[in-house]
Amino acid sequence: MFWSAILVANTLGTSMGDFLSDSSGLGYAGGAALVTGVLLVLVALMKVPAVPNVLLLWIAFVLTRPLGATAGDFLTKPVAKGGLDLGTAGSSAVLLTALIGLTGYAHVQERRRPAPRPS
């Protein structure tokens, strides 16, 4: 069941990314911005008790695929097609920098939390 869910989620995400980039008129950046916006709505919905977190998890899981596809295409595709034309090395450098930055931010936030008191 788990692998069936993964297969369906990846297929839905891939087709959604292709639609947003190529057929919707949003382009690569617009598609990535739309998916990012929906993911931010999901983060806000985590505070609503009536919305099951399992549902939010699966929606977010499906949306990570089109976000990665549209953002990756935006970074690598030629400017004439709506991309930044960074190529694979340039886009990898941008993504690695973002990963290191987010990891560093999470580390700093974790260190700012007070240590739990022993019971």
Side-chain angles (χ1 to χ4, degrees), residues 1-84:
M1 181 66 177
F2 175 78
W3 289 111
S4 297
I6 297 297
L7 176 65
V8 169
N10 282 335
T11 303
L12 284 173
T14 300
S15 63
M16 182 186 299
D18 291 344
F19 171 76
L20 290 174
S21 295
D22 301 328
S23 303
S24 71
L26 293 174
Y28 306 120
L34 177 65
V35 176
T36 300
V38 174
L39 286 169
L40 291 174
V41 169
L42 293 179
V43 169
L45 286 173
M46 288 173 54
K47 304 294 184 196
V48 178
V51 181
N53 283 338
V54 171
L55 176 64
L56 296 175
L57 168 83
W58 282 106
I59 293 171
F61 182 81
V62 169
L63 290 176
T64 57
R65 185 80 174 187
L67 177 61
T70 54
D73 285 344
F74 177 65
L75 293 172
T76 59
K77 296 295 182 182
V79 175
K81 291 188 175 185
L84 294 179

Side-chain angles (χ1 to χ4, degrees), residues 95-107:
L95 295 173
L96 182 61
T97 301
L99 177 64
I100 291 169
L102 290 171
T103 303
Y105 174 77
H107 179 70

